Structures are given as structure tokens and as C-alpha cells.
Amino acid sequence: MTSAAAASETSAPGTAPLTAVVTGASSGIGRATATRLAADGWRVLAVARREEKLRELAAETGCEILAVDVTDDDSVAALTARVEDLFGGTLNSIVHVAGGALGVDPVAEADLEKWQGMYESNVLGALRVTRALLPAVRASGRGDVLFVTSVAAHEAYPGGSGYNAAKSGEHMLARTLRLELNGEKVRVIEVAPGMVRTEEFSLVRLGDRDAADKVYEGVENPLTAQDCADVIAYALSAPHHVNLDLVTVRPLAQAAAHRVARHQGV
């Protein structure tokens, strides 16, 4: 769906624009999604921990912003209050992007602090925000809860142990919620990206710029954050009787989480 077509759906004469909360919006897929939805005519509340990055996003897109740590109960309570103030207690969509990977340790050498951090941000963070905002999503009459997981939620790979475990947990959260909401006007959507080259994901995971660059070395056209935002925007803007339960999106060069075509000079 093009931006123009989606905008016509979300801002038709006499109708209020659709509303969304996007977590993890300071960079990468979250930032690209907030930007895309705002361009499509949605009213977007973009949230992340780094307020200075959010201010830059607001200046570029006109979206609303709030500094939120999804691992903190008080911070999520403040998000709930802001949704009430901005959108009158109703909300069309939650887009869960906050999360990420930390390290590539094998199970035998697992860093428990990193595992706990990944579980807190990817699973419990999504749970906190869902639990807090689900009443507003239900009240909208046209609701979506969209989880951006990963192929790591569905395919184990060497070096993925902690991230595999965390994203698998988020995947099961989405599946269970879909069963619990069956019969209500709320879709539960999962988008599972493969290799996406963003400015921070591999750098945060590996802690070294050279190591992060090697992840994509020789790979022709890894996905971009904008590619993922396009998929998310389509899933949210499709007719509401159409539910994309699970979308796996990879670059052509990637056949599986651990199988990527690499070429010299690319």
C-alpha cells in the first residue's frame, strides 16, 4: 500500500485519523515505522528511552513523543496517562519494536545479566505496554497489537541463544494474546525480520563497530528499517478483517537465520 493510499484511509473526510503508539522509536525499525505512519496520516505517539533522539524525530515528522522505559512500571504508567490525554482513552495500534540483542555467547558461557536484559526488554517490556494499553485498544473498536520479533523467534542459530530465547518468548506472547482476544475487534500481528542493516542493532549487540560491519560484509542488499516499516504499515492499514498473523521478511540473500549468501566486493 502506498503512503498516499494509506493516508486516504486514515484521514478520510469526516473521520478521525488512526492512532498508534510505537515503542523503540529512537532509531532503526521503530523510528522508520513512526515516520512512515505519520506520513500516512496516523497520529503517532513515538516512545523510547532517549528523549533527544525523540525530539529530532518530532521535528522531522510532527509526531508526539514521550521518553519511556518499557522495563519500568512507573514509566509505562506515564505512557498510559499520555495516551488518555492525547487520544481520549482509545488507541488503534500498539507497535512493539523496543528490544534488541546483547552478545553472541553460547549457552555454556551465557552471561546471565545480558540474558535478563534481553528478556526484560523484549518480553516483559512488551507485556507491560500491552497490559497497560490494551483497554484503550479494545475501546477503539478497530485495534491492533503488532509485535516486531525476529526470525530468531522461529529459528535457532549459533550465537543466538539468548536472543533466540527472548524473541521466542515474545512470539509466544503474541500467539497467546491472539487466542485470548479471538472474537474481539483486535488483531494480533507478528512481523519477524531477518537480516536488517540499521545503525545500531549489531553495534549494540557486539559492542564494536568493526565487528558490527562484518555482520553485513559481502551481503547484497540487506533489509533496511524502511523495508520493515513498509510491511508494518501495510499490516496495520489492511482492511480490518484481514489479519497477518505472522510475516517473515528477509533479504533475498538470506535463506535462513544462519544461511546468508556473501560475495566478494559487495
Side-chain angles (χ1 to χ4, degrees):
M1 179 176 289
T2 65
S3 294
S8 68
E9 281 196 18
T10 56
S11 56
T15 63
L18 297 174
T19 57
V21 167
V22 180
T23 73
S26 60
S27 65
I29 295 172
R31 183 185 181 92
T33 299
T35 300
R36 171 62 192 269
L37 293 180
D40 286 352
W42 291 65
R43 289 191 67 198
V44 177
L45 173 57
V47 305
R49 289 178 297 177
R50 294 177 294 179
E51 190 169 6
E52 70 281 1
K53 293 284 189 181
L54 292 175
R55 288 198 189 106
E56 294 172 5
L57 177 63
E60 293 171 9
T61 67
C63 68
E64 302 287 344
I65 61 171
L66 183 67
V68 172
D69 180 352
V70 299
T71 70
D72 181 82
D73 289 336
D74 290 339
S75 191
V76 173
L79 170 61
T80 306
R82 186 67 177 276
V83 167
E84 174 70 34
D85 291 342
L86 284 176
F87 306 137
T90 67
L91 178 67
N92 294 111
S93 297
I94 310 167
V95 184
H96 293 290
V97 187
L102 298 171
V104 291
D105 300 334
V107 171
E109 300 168 15
D111 183 323
L112 293 182
E113 187 174 342
K114 289 179 179 177
W115 275 59
Q116 184 169 347
M118 285 185 280
Y119 197 82
E120 282 284 351
S121 61
N122 291 285
V123 184
L124 296 184
L127 173 60
R128 280 188 183 87
V129 173
T130 299
R131 185 178 62 181
L133 298 184
L134 189 56
V137 172
R138 282 171 152 157
S140 74
R142 187 204 184 280
D144 297 309
V145 185
L146 189 150
F147 297 85
V148 178
T149 61
S150 169
V151 296
H154 306 274
E155 304 168 9
Y157 61 92
S161 59
Y163 192 51
N164 286 142
K167 282 302 185 183
S168 296
E170 189 178 5
H171 162 68
M172 292 308 298
L173 172 59
R175 287 191 61 181
T176 304
L177 183 64
R178 188 179 299 116
L179 294 172
E180 292 171 349
L181 296 179
N182 182 236
E184 300 188 37
K185 299 297 184 182
V186 180
R187 300 182 296 192
V188 178
I189 301 163
E190 180 182 351
V191 176
M195 178 179 280
V196 184
R197 184 164 197 166
T198 63
E199 65 271 27
E200 293 186 354
F201 179 84
S202 290
L203 179 60
V204 170
R205 183 176 200 172
L206 301 174
D208 178 82
R209 172 53 67 188
D210 289 341
D213 289 343
K214 286 185 180 300
V215 171
Y216 312 100
E217 195 172 82
V219 180
E220 184 176 8
N221 296 325
L223 293 179
T224 66
Q226 288 72 28
D227 293 328
C228 296
D230 287 345
V231 174
I232 292 166
Y234 175 77
L236 295 177
S237 300
H240 205 253
H241 70 282
V242 177
N243 195 105
L244 302 187
D245 283 18
L246 170 63
V247 181
T248 302
V249 52
R250 312 180 200 261
L252 180 60
Q254 185 179 37
H258 61 288
R259 189 171 181 87
V260 182
R262 299 181 187 272
H263 306 281
Q264 291 185 349
V266 174

